Amino acid sequence: MKPQGNGHTTDLTDALKGTVMTTKFDQLLGWARKYSLFQYPFVTACCGMEFMSTACSHYDLDRFGAAFPRFSPRQADVLWVVGTISHKIAPVLQTVYEQMAEPKWVVSFGACASCGGPYDNYATVQGIDTLIPVDIYIAGCPPRPEAVLDGLLKLQEKIQNAKQEW
Amino acid sequence: MLDKFPEHIAIEKQLPDAVHDWHTDFGDRTLIIDKNAVAKVCKILRDEHGFNMLVDLTCVDYHPRRPRFEVVYHLLNLDKKARLRLKAIPDDKVPVLPTITDLWPIADWLEREVWDLFGIKFEGHPNLKRILLYEEFKGHPLRKDYPKTKRQPLVGPQN
Ligand code: SF4
């Protein structure tokens, strides 16, 4: 578990014979944040089944440090929007997002959350990015668990490489 | 010509003008009944013919055909495993039918759904308000003349 991107300090680390690791504070923070993602699953439709199968032991989201669902937005880091968002529930989604503490990220899970999916009608929001900012879109109707894991890894990459607010 | 169903004959004895027509589709028997007789016919079928379950209550809009609406009732006799379908045709301008909530409590939600999406009123319903859509919604979106692209979002962009 070696913090990344610290090429210029390897000499020092070598000199201390592996007893000490050096890194940049930003990178350390990013590394800590990406491996302790508390998630808020906002599950509204069929994609939820695939989210559950990814989260459970077979695919095991816990391997990536993203095991813990928090059903209070105030304790959550990642908002997973999983499924169809209707106009009726849109204000609730917005409130949940606003209640989350910074830093926070949003994953749009599946075709419905990303663009309305098969539903272009009076009831369905045409993509949650019309309401809240989205960090990662996962394609599929529903996405395969591999696609979900890929999305999570991409989110972790994004968190690691971002400028850390603290 | 298809023979009248036994239920049909029994209803006609009590309410001579209640049944307008009858037919079968794919083995399912259907009675077209008078819009004012819905509650009475349902009561006879439930109490005297064992149709103890209301499986579904829905509506079809055949716009631009006139009359445009058909409200459809699916009844099931659980003991004999017999099914019967009723259809009632309300007026086009102000579609109203009598409620059957006092016969089957489930009709409460089903009638609210038909009101919500098709705008058919049910006279005598204890709480006829929208069930799926939000109160701010204007119109009845499953009517065929509701514009296909019309959106009424509560938050976010208007279209
Ligand atoms: S994207 Fe497909 S599977 Fe997912 S909620 Fe929409 S319809 Fe269901």
Side-chain angles (χ1 to χ4, degrees):
Chain A
M1 285 216 282
K2 190 175 171 186
Q4 297 156 1
N6 49 355
H8 63 288
T9 56
T10 18
D11 293 347
L12 181 59
T13 313
D14 284 351
L16 292 166
K17 300 212 163 38
T19 57
V20 169
M21 283 195 295
T22 59
T23 180
K24 287 190 215 145
F25 186 62
D26 243 26
Q27 265 151 7
L28 178 68
L29 216 53
W31 172 80
R33 280 178 175 160
K34 75 172 177 181
Y35 286 131
S36 65
L37 292 172
F38 284 23
Q39 6 174 4
Y40 185 104
F42 194 95
V43 177
T44 55
C46 17
C47 270
M49 304 313 294
E50 215 65 10
F51 177 77
M52 289 173 225
S53 83
T54 316
C56 289
S57 46
H58 201 93
Y59 288 94
D60 195 10
L61 273 185
D62 205 2
R63 288 181 291 164
F64 308 97
F68 218 22
R70 306 305 298 191
F71 293 102
S72 161
R74 298 184 198 285
Q75 299 173 344
D77 307 307
V78 184
L79 177 61
W80 290 79
V81 185
V82 183
T84 324
I85 301 298
S86 65
H87 287 304
K88 190 174 182 177
I89 209 167
V92 179
L93 176 65
Q94 219 172 32
T95 309
V96 166
Y97 175 76
E98 280 160 9
Q99 285 178 337
M100 288 169 66
E102 298 275 359
K104 57 186 170 185
W105 299 276
V106 177
V107 179
S108 166
F109 187 115
C112 278
S114 303
C115 66
Y119 312 110
D120 183 3
N121 59 22
Y122 62 91
T124 312
V125 174
Q126 300 299 295
I128 56 162
D129 52 7
T130 60
L131 307 170
I132 55 177
V134 175
D135 293 279
I136 297 288
Y137 299 84
I138 303 175
C141 176
R144 295 263 325 149
E146 292 87 341
V148 181
L149 296 181
D150 189 40
L152 179 67
L153 293 179
K154 288 214 162 60
L155 178 66
Q156 291 183 331
E157 206 179 298
K158 184 170 178 174
I159 295 171
Q160 175 72 69
N161 294 332
K163 165 136 185 43
Q164 306 296 333
E165 308 275 347
W166 52 281
Chain B
M1 182 87 182
L2 184 72
D3 287 345
K4 292 184 178 180
F5 318 136
E7 296 89 348
H8 183 167
I9 295 165
I11 292 168
E12 271 191 333
K13 280 198 187 121
Q14 300 181 42
L15 304 164
D17 301 322
V19 182
H20 292 177
D21 200 1
W22 70 99
H23 62 255
T24 59
D25 268 336
F26 306 105
D28 277 350
R29 305 172 305 153
T30 306
L31 296 178
I32 317 286
I33 57 173
D34 190 82
K35 62 177 188 292
N36 299 313
V38 171
K40 287 178 215 147
V41 170
C42 286
K43 190 161 169 48
I44 293 172
L45 290 170
R46 188 193 67 167
D47 294 346
E48 295 167 26
H49 299 275
F51 287 96
N52 42 10
M53 183 171 172
L54 176 66
V55 181
D56 198 10
L57 190 172
T58 185
C59 180
V60 188
D61 182 5
Y62 289 99
H63 180 74
R65 190 194 82 180
R66 293 289 180 269
R68 61 187 285 191
F69 297 114
E70 278 181 8
V71 177
V72 190
Y73 302 78
H74 288 105
L75 306 185
L76 172 63
N77 180 334
L78 283 170
D79 305 318
K80 294 192 184 146
K81 303 193 174 45
R83 288 176 192 273
L84 188 62
R85 188 194 292 133
L86 307 178
K87 286 186 180 179
I89 299 175
D91 288 340
D92 289 334
K93 285 254 163 56
V94 189
V96 186
L97 287 177
T99 182
I100 52 166
T101 43
D102 42 345
L103 299 175
W104 291 283
I106 186 61
D108 184 331
W109 284 10
L110 297 172
E111 288 180 355
R112 279 176 65 188
E113 186 186 4
V114 171
W115 159 249
D116 192 357
L117 302 176
F118 290 94
I120 312 280
K121 279 215 172 89
F122 290 91
E123 210 158 29
H125 190 289
N127 181 29
L128 194 64
K129 56 178 193 185
R130 292 191 183 279
I131 188 169
L132 295 171
L133 290 164
Y134 31 101
E135 284 301 320
E136 294 87 343
F137 199 91
K138 296 213 169 47
H140 304 283
L142 290 195
R143 285 190 174 194
K144 290 280 186 288
D145 50 2
Y146 183 90
K148 204 169 65 191
T149 51
K150 187 170 172 194
R151 305 285 184 265
Q152 306 186 33
L154 293 170
V155 291
Q158 284 307 302
N159 247 313

